[in-house]
Amino acid sequence: MNRILVAEDEPRIASFLESGLSSNGFVVTVVGDGESAYQYARTGAFDLMVLDLGLPVTDGLTVLRLLRAEKVDLPVVVLTARDSVAETVTGLESGADDYIRKPFGFDELLARVRLRIREPGRAPETTMLRAGDLTLDLRTRRVLLDGGATEVELTAREFALAEAFFRHVDQVLTREQLLSQVWGLDFDPGSNVVEVYVRYLRRKMGGSRIETLRGMGYRLHSLPRPAAGA
Ligand code: CA
């Protein structure tokens, strides 16, 4: 049974995390300030901490730095409300294993937790997904092109869509599958967000890798294809 420490001061988010993680089989302890987070995290009683950076008493970054200075190697996924690349980088440099930006979908959080949780005896999950010469780095959420020579930054939504494609290389994914995996089932089925975001990914990963199959869906190819119309 995996034990998760949730350090989050907003009651609504804390209870959302607690009920979601509990129903997925985790034992959850919630604390609402940084000092408690620090004290609980050092006990060694947890397998992962979800740490909000904006906490009262002691902020999350300070908690993280204190823990890492004491060589506490508890896996930490930080939550940040601020859409700040600098803060994300600071978090990772301060010893966070992963991060997630608010607002987030529960599936997104669960995926990060499962990726990072300490499980004795289990090989660490892969952090790199490949499609031929393209690589998706799950840790930095970047796509590596040209055999790693070029790194391209993805937004949270682009990354989620890219991850869906990279987990099903050379397979057709329907628009509905992508909507439910990336946007959640409650998304308006008439929306054209999938088309819009596929276009964003093509701009970043090269136009010909993601094929549109009219009336069926989309496919990420492991091999480069001739440009459209060629
Ligand atoms: Ca907060």
Side-chain angles (χ1 to χ4, degrees):
M1 195 77 88
N2 285 126
R3 297 146 306 168
I4 297 183
L5 177 61
V6 172
E8 169 59 76
D9 60 315
E10 285 174 60
R12 196 177 48 87
I13 299 176
S15 72
F16 167 71
L17 290 172
E18 185 174 25
S19 64
L21 290 168
S22 302
S23 68
N24 278 279
F26 297 102
V27 177
V28 184
T29 300
V30 177
V31 293
D33 68 88
E35 176 59 24
S36 308
Y38 170 66
Q39 295 298 348
Y40 277 69
R42 332 166 47 212
T43 61
F46 298 94
D47 302 303
L48 181 138
M49 172 161 63
V50 177
L51 175 67
D52 181 32
L53 289 189
L55 286 176
V57 188
T58 309
D59 70 87
L61 275 181
T62 304
V63 171
L64 191 55
R65 288 189 181 123
L66 287 170
L67 291 171
R68 295 311 188 223
E70 291 180 20
K71 309 282 182 231
V72 175
D73 65 351
L74 178 68
V76 173
V77 175
V78 296
L79 297 178
T80 169
R82 286 155 281 191
D83 196 20
S84 156
V85 173
E87 191 179 54
T88 303
V89 170
T90 309
L92 292 172
E93 283 175 356
S94 303
D97 297 273
D98 216 328
Y99 65 92
I100 204 158
R101 290 192 181 128
K102 294 176 182 174
F104 55 85
F106 185 75
D107 286 355
E108 192 187 354
L109 177 95
L110 188 61
R112 308 319 288 183
V113 165
R114 289 198 169 133
L115 189 67
R116 298 300 168 197
I117 199 148
R118 181 161 51 200
E119 295 227 37
R122 198 189 68 175
E125 263 191 73
T126 177
T127 57
M128 298 284 199
L129 299 178
R130 282 175 227 287
D133 60 335
L134 298 180
T135 304
L136 183 68
D137 186 331
L138 298 179
R139 188 181 156 88
T140 62
R141 304 185 190 194
R142 289 178 177 155
V143 174
L144 312 182
L145 314 175
D146 313 324
T150 311
E151 288 194 19
V152 181
E153 199 87 46
L154 300 178
T155 65
R157 198 66 86 176
E158 288 167 355
F159 170 78
L161 181 62
E163 185 174 1
F165 279 122
F166 273 83
R167 288 195 185 279
H168 301 91
V169 175
D170 292 324
Q171 298 170 29
V172 178
L173 290 169
T174 66
R175 211 171 134 273
E176 291 69 30
Q177 283 174 316
L178 291 169
L179 267 179
S180 81
Q181 282 181 33
V182 180
W183 281 270
L185 279 168
D186 54 351
F187 209 89
D188 172 14
S191 154
N192 71 337
V193 285
V194 176
E195 290 81 342
V196 170
Y197 274 84
V198 163
R199 211 176 307 142
Y200 292 161
L201 279 187
R202 283 188 179 131
R203 218 172 284 161
K204 292 189 170 180
M205 293 172 19
S208 65
R209 292 304 276 272
I210 303 176
E211 181 188 10
T212 302
L213 296 112
R214 205 163 289 282
M216 289 173 66
Y218 301 91
R219 175 160 55 197
L220 172 64
H221 287 264
S222 55
L223 297 171
R225 299 183 310 129

